[in-house]
Amino acid sequence: IKTKLQQVIPCSIAPIIVASMGRSGSTLIWKALCETLIQHRVVAGSSIFTRRLVNDQAWRLNDRTFFNGVVYKTHAHASELPNNNDAKVVFVFGSALDAALSLYSCKQRYGAEWIDLHFQHLSAVGSFEEMIDKDVLRFREQVDGWINKTGTQRLILRYDAIWDYQDQLSEFVGLKVDIPERRQRNSRALLDPILHGRLERTYRDLDLHLASLPDFQVLS
């Protein structure tokens, strides 16, 4: 029913896909965009109904139809999205080490089932335990894939720079977006030094690569 309503209720705002390498701020932006769209297109006088209408997930992009006025969250790879798609993509990236560290916190808070589902969403090629020594979550593939993709409007944004580029984000999606104040991330304090050191060695080269990228770029 929700999908049918998304299809038939008109909206001039293009579909928006918020993608990320996971644990990098995509939920923050996805929720902010949903709140913006709620204000833009309250349907039948009900903000609760509109909230359900405008937010969605698309963990696999190659089997979805995207509708105007809907914000989709994903961790899928760029290769899954057909070229010349009408959707606008906001891809958020950050430190690979921070993303890996955050997953240890998530396992403690949400449990092993949450971790398993997250690994499925990222099309991982290994287990949680293997993440210590290799990029099983394919962070590099995902970042490079979204940057190099063609035929799709993309805004590539570093997590630490989200608050510096709110105006550019608003211009890209065509709506005024208000990002909540930044909260401190404390994942680095959760691990013993030996494990932390192994993760640092594993993701050092990748983080050097990510650090060399622009904080913000719009591509098509």
Side-chain angles (χ1 to χ4, degrees):
I1 294 174
K2 176 178 177 176
T3 301
K4 186 64 176 179
L5 290 173
Q6 290 171 337
Q7 181 179 8
V8 300
I9 297 177
C11 182
S12 60
I13 302 299
I16 303 169
I17 300 171
V18 181
S20 84
M21 52 193 281
R23 314 307 302 165
S24 301
S26 59
T27 299
L28 175 77
I29 290 182
W30 177 67
K31 287 182 176 180
L33 288 170
C34 288
E35 291 300 322
T36 297
L37 271 170
I38 289 168
Q39 302 304 317
H40 178 75
R41 59 173 310 197
V42 172
V43 178
S46 170
S47 61
I48 296 176
F49 175 81
T50 308
R51 184 180 302 277
R52 293 173 179 169
L53 185 73
V54 303
N55 80 83
D56 215 329
Q57 295 86 33
W59 304 120
R60 294 292 174 265
L61 299 177
N62 50 9
D63 60 356
R64 290 297 299 268
T65 301
F66 301 100
F67 302 113
N68 281 10
V70 182
V71 187
Y72 301 86
K73 180 182 176 183
T74 191
H75 297 316
H77 287 248
S79 58
E80 293 185 17
L81 185 66
N83 287 334
N84 303 314
N85 195 284
D86 292 333
K88 294 183 176 181
V89 175
V90 178
F91 179 75
V92 193
F93 71 97
S95 162
L97 173 61
D98 284 349
L101 288 170
S102 181
L103 287 176
Y104 283 86
S105 172
C106 289
K107 188 173 184 179
Q108 292 178 358
R109 286 181 291 164
Y110 308 135
E113 289 187 7
W114 187 97
I115 291 292
D116 289 344
L117 190 59
H118 186 71
F119 271 54
Q120 290 178 33
H121 291 163
L122 282 157
S123 301
V125 291
S127 67
F128 178 82
E129 291 72 22
E130 291 176 292
M131 182 181 68
I132 301 172
D133 297 310
K134 60 182 179 179
D135 181 18
V136 301
L137 291 172
R138 303 165 65 192
F139 291 148
R140 181 183 287 270
E141 284 182 59
Q142 193 173 53
V143 174
D144 290 349
W146 282 113
I147 289 174
N148 295 321
K149 184 175 179 59
T150 58
T152 301
Q153 295 184 72
R154 285 125 42 236
L155 184 154
I156 313 296
L157 182 60
R158 188 186 306 276
Y159 169 78
D160 288 330
I162 289 172
W163 293 266
D164 298 326
Y165 290 96
Q166 291 186 66
D167 291 343
Q168 290 85 342
L169 174 60
S170 298
E171 182 179 356
F172 179 75
V173 299
L175 293 168
K176 180 68 172 68
V177 183
D178 292 316
I179 304 295
E181 291 186 10
R182 184 172 184 172
R183 294 188 300 176
Q184 183 65 34
R185 304 179 80 177
N186 58 4
S187 300
R188 287 182 178 273
L190 299 176
L191 296 183
D192 68 80
I194 295 177
L195 185 55
H196 192 288
R198 287 176 64 184
L199 286 165
E200 282 188 325
R201 289 190 294 273
T202 297
Y203 296 102
R204 181 181 294 122
D205 289 344
L206 176 53
D207 272 345
L208 287 172
H209 169 62
L210 297 178
S212 71
L213 299 175
D215 289 344
F216 167 88
Q217 51 185 322
V218 174
L219 306 168
S220 60

Short mmCIF file of all heavy atoms in Angstrom, two decimals, residues 25-54:
data_model
loop_
_atom_site.label_atom_id
_atom_site.label_comp_id
_atom_site.label_asym_id
_atom_site.label_seq_id
_atom_site.Cartn_x
_atom_site.Cartn_y
_atom_site.Cartn_z
N GLY A 25 27.13 8.71 9.12
CA GLY A 25 26.26 9.87 9.11
C GLY A 25 25.08 9.80 8.17
O GLY A 25 24.33 10.77 8.06
N SER A 26 24.87 8.67 7.50
CA SER A 26 23.75 8.60 6.55
C SER A 26 22.40 8.69 7.25
O SER A 26 21.47 9.31 6.73
CB SER A 26 23.83 7.32 5.72
OG SER A 26 23.80 6.17 6.56
N THR A 27 22.27 8.08 8.42
CA THR A 27 21.00 8.14 9.15
C THR A 27 20.68 9.57 9.54
O THR A 27 19.52 10.02 9.47
CB THR A 27 21.04 7.24 10.40
OG1 THR A 27 21.26 5.88 10.00
CG2 THR A 27 19.72 7.32 11.16
N LEU A 28 21.68 10.32 9.95
CA LEU A 28 21.51 11.72 10.31
C LEU A 28 20.94 12.52 9.14
O LEU A 28 19.95 13.25 9.28
CB LEU A 28 22.85 12.31 10.74
CG LEU A 28 22.90 13.80 11.05
CD1 LEU A 28 22.30 14.07 12.43
CD2 LEU A 28 24.35 14.31 11.01
N ILE A 29 21.54 12.38 7.97
CA ILE A 29 21.08 13.12 6.79
C ILE A 29 19.74 12.59 6.31
O ILE A 29 18.85 13.36 5.93
CB ILE A 29 22.14 13.05 5.68
CG1 ILE A 29 23.37 13.86 6.09
CG2 ILE A 29 21.58 13.54 4.35
CD1 ILE A 29 24.46 13.90 5.05
N TRP A 30 19.56 11.29 6.32
CA TRP A 30 18.29 10.68 5.89
C TRP A 30 17.13 11.21 6.72
O TRP A 30 16.10 11.64 6.18
CB TRP A 30 18.41 9.16 6.00
CG TRP A 30 17.19 8.38 5.68
CD1 TRP A 30 16.58 8.25 4.46
CD2 TRP A 30 16.42 7.57 6.59
NE1 TRP A 30 15.49 7.41 4.55
CE2 TRP A 30 15.37 6.98 5.84
CE3 TRP A 30 16.52 7.27 7.95
CZ2 TRP A 30 14.43 6.14 6.42
CZ3 TRP A 30 15.59 6.42 8.53
CH2 TRP A 30 14.56 5.87 7.77
N LYS A 31 17.29 11.25 8.04
CA LYS A 31 16.22 11.75 8.90
C LYS A 31 15.97 13.24 8.67
O LYS A 31 14.82 13.69 8.66
CB LYS A 31 16.57 11.50 10.37
CG LYS A 31 16.46 10.04 10.79
CD LYS A 31 16.77 9.86 12.27
CE LYS A 31 16.58 8.42 12.70
NZ LYS A 31 16.88 8.22 14.14
N ALA A 32 17.05 14.01 8.49
CA ALA A 32 16.89 15.45 8.25
C ALA A 32 16.14 15.70 6.95
O ALA A 32 15.28 16.59 6.88
CB ALA A 32 18.25 16.13 8.22
N LEU A 33 16.46 14.93 5.91
CA LEU A 33 15.76 15.08 4.64
C LEU A 33 14.29 14.67 4.75
O LEU A 33 13.42 15.30 4.15
CB LEU A 33 16.47 14.26 3.56
CG LEU A 33 17.81 14.81 3.08
CD1 LEU A 33 18.53 13.79 2.21
CD2 LEU A 33 17.62 16.11 2.31
N CYS A 34 14.03 13.61 5.51
CA CYS A 34 12.64 13.20 5.73
C CYS A 34 11.85 14.30 6.42
O CYS A 34 10.71 14.61 6.02
CB CYS A 34 12.59 11.91 6.56
SG CYS A 34 13.11 10.43 5.68
N GLU A 35 12.43 14.91 7.45
CA GLU A 35 11.75 16.00 8.16
C GLU A 35 11.48 17.16 7.21
O GLU A 35 10.42 17.80 7.27
CB GLU A 35 12.58 16.46 9.35
CG GLU A 35 12.68 15.46 10.48
CD GLU A 35 11.32 15.10 11.07
OE1 GLU A 35 10.46 16.01 11.18
OE2 GLU A 35 11.11 13.91 11.38
N THR A 36 12.42 17.46 6.35
CA THR A 36 12.24 18.54 5.38
C THR A 36 11.09 18.23 4.44
O THR A 36 10.25 19.09 4.15
CB THR A 36 13.54 18.74 4.58
OG1 THR A 36 14.58 19.14 5.46
CG2 THR A 36 13.35 19.79 3.50
N LEU A 37 11.03 17.01 3.95
CA LEU A 37 9.97 16.63 3.02
C LEU A 37 8.60 16.59 3.70
O LEU A 37 7.58 16.88 3.07
CB LEU A 37 10.28 15.28 2.39
CG LEU A 37 11.10 15.33 1.11
CD1 LEU A 37 11.57 13.95 0.69
CD2 LEU A 37 10.31 15.98 -0.02
N ILE A 38 8.58 16.25 4.97
CA ILE A 38 7.30 16.26 5.70
C ILE A 38 6.71 17.66 5.68
O ILE A 38 5.51 17.85 5.46
CB ILE A 38 7.51 15.78 7.15
CG1 ILE A 38 7.79 14.27 7.17
CG2 ILE A 38 6.28 16.08 8.01
CD1 ILE A 38 8.28 13.76 8.51
N GLN A 39 7.56 18.67 5.91
CA GLN A 39 7.09 20.05 5.89
C GLN A 39 6.66 20.48 4.49
O GLN A 39 5.76 21.30 4.32
CB GLN A 39 8.19 20.98 6.40
CG GLN A 39 8.69 20.65 7.80
CD GLN A 39 7.58 20.63 8.84
OE1 GLN A 39 6.72 21.51 8.84
NE2 GLN A 39 7.59 19.64 9.70
N HIS A 40 7.30 19.90 3.49
CA HIS A 40 7.03 20.28 2.10
C HIS A 40 5.75 19.68 1.57
O HIS A 40 5.04 20.31 0.77
CB HIS A 40 8.21 19.85 1.22
CG HIS A 40 8.01 20.14 -0.24
ND1 HIS A 40 8.13 21.41 -0.77
CD2 HIS A 40 7.71 19.32 -1.28
CE1 HIS A 40 7.91 21.37 -2.07
NE2 HIS A 40 7.66 20.11 -2.41
N ARG A 41 5.41 18.47 2.01
CA ARG A 41 4.30 17.76 1.37
C ARG A 41 3.41 17.03 2.37
O ARG A 41 3.18 15.82 2.24
CB ARG A 41 4.83 16.79 0.32
CG ARG A 41 5.80 15.74 0.83
CD ARG A 41 6.16 14.72 -0.22
NE ARG A 41 5.02 14.14 -0.90
CZ ARG A 41 5.05 13.02 -1.62
NH1 ARG A 41 6.17 12.34 -1.75
NH2 ARG A 41 3.98 12.56 -2.23
N VAL A 42 2.88 17.75 3.36
CA VAL A 42 1.91 17.14 4.27
C VAL A 42 0.69 16.73 3.46
O VAL A 42 0.09 17.55 2.77
CB VAL A 42 1.51 18.10 5.40
CG1 VAL A 42 0.37 17.51 6.21
CG2 VAL A 42 2.69 18.38 6.30
N VAL A 43 0.34 15.45 3.53
CA VAL A 43 -0.74 14.89 2.73
C VAL A 43 -1.98 14.70 3.60
O VAL A 43 -1.90 14.13 4.68
CB VAL A 43 -0.32 13.54 2.11
CG1 VAL A 43 -1.47 12.94 1.31
CG2 VAL A 43 0.91 13.74 1.23
N ALA A 44 -3.10 15.20 3.13
CA ALA A 44 -4.39 15.03 3.82
C ALA A 44 -4.33 15.52 5.25
O ALA A 44 -5.00 14.99 6.13
CB ALA A 44 -4.82 13.56 3.77
N GLY A 45 -3.51 16.56 5.51
CA GLY A 45 -3.46 17.17 6.83
C GLY A 45 -2.80 16.33 7.91
O GLY A 45 -2.89 16.66 9.09
N SER A 46 -2.12 15.25 7.55
CA SER A 46 -1.54 14.35 8.55
C SER A 46 -0.04 14.25 8.38
O SER A 46 0.45 13.70 7.41
CB SER A 46 -2.16 12.95 8.43
OG SER A 46 -1.46 12.02 9.23
N SER A 47 0.71 14.77 9.36
CA SER A 47 2.17 14.67 9.29
C SER A 47 2.62 13.23 9.57
O SER A 47 3.67 12.80 9.09
CB SER A 47 2.82 15.63 10.29
OG SER A 47 2.43 15.32 11.61
N ILE A 48 1.84 12.48 10.38
CA ILE A 48 2.18 11.08 10.67
C ILE A 48 2.10 10.26 9.39
O ILE A 48 3.00 9.46 9.07
CB ILE A 48 1.25 10.50 11.74
CG1 ILE A 48 1.45 11.23 13.07
CG2 ILE A 48 1.50 9.00 11.92
CD1 ILE A 48 0.50 10.79 14.16
N PHE A 49 1.04 10.46 8.63
CA PHE A 49 0.90 9.75 7.35
C PHE A 49 2.02 10.13 6.40
O PHE A 49 2.62 9.28 5.74
CB PHE A 49 -0.47 10.09 6.74
CG PHE A 49 -0.67 9.52 5.37
CD1 PHE A 49 -1.03 8.20 5.20
CD2 PHE A 49 -0.48 10.30 4.23
CE1 PHE A 49 -1.22 7.66 3.93
CE2 PHE A 49 -0.65 9.78 2.96
CZ PHE A 49 -1.03 8.45 2.82
N THR A 50 2.32 11.44 6.35
CA THR A 50 3.36 11.91 5.45
C THR A 50 4.72 11.35 5.83
O THR A 50 5.53 11.01 4.98
CB THR A 50 3.42 13.44 5.43
OG1 THR A 50 2.11 13.96 5.19
CG2 THR A 50 4.36 13.95 4.36
N ARG A 51 4.99 11.25 7.13
CA ARG A 51 6.27 10.69 7.60
C ARG A 51 6.46 9.28 7.06
O ARG A 51 7.55 8.90 6.62
CB ARG A 51 6.31 10.70 9.12
CG ARG A 51 7.64 10.22 9.71
CD ARG A 51 7.59 10.24 11.23
NE ARG A 51 7.28 11.56 11.73
CZ ARG A 51 8.18 12.52 11.90
NH1 ARG A 51 9.45 12.30 11.60
NH2 ARG A 51 7.82 13.70 12.37
N ARG A 52 5.41 8.49 7.11
CA ARG A 52 5.52 7.12 6.60
C ARG A 52 5.68 7.11 5.08
O ARG A 52 6.36 6.24 4.53
CB ARG A 52 4.26 6.33 7.00
CG ARG A 52 4.14 6.10 8.49
CD ARG A 52 2.82 5.47 8.84
NE ARG A 52 2.70 5.21 10.28
CZ ARG A 52 1.59 4.86 10.89
NH1 ARG A 52 0.48 4.70 10.19
NH2 ARG A 52 1.57 4.65 12.20
N LEU A 53 5.08 8.11 4.44
CA LEU A 53 5.12 8.15 2.98
C LEU A 53 6.51 8.52 2.46
O LEU A 53 6.98 7.96 1.48
CB LEU A 53 4.10 9.18 2.49
CG LEU A 53 3.90 9.30 0.98
CD1 LEU A 53 3.13 8.08 0.46
CD2 LEU A 53 3.13 10.59 0.65
N VAL A 54 7.19 9.46 3.13
CA VAL A 54 8.42 10.02 2.56
C VAL A 54 9.68 9.23 2.91
O VAL A 54 10.72 9.42 2.28
CB VAL A 54 8.63 11.49 2.99
CG1 VAL A 54 7.43 12.33 2.59
CG2 VAL A 54 8.91 11.61 4.49
#
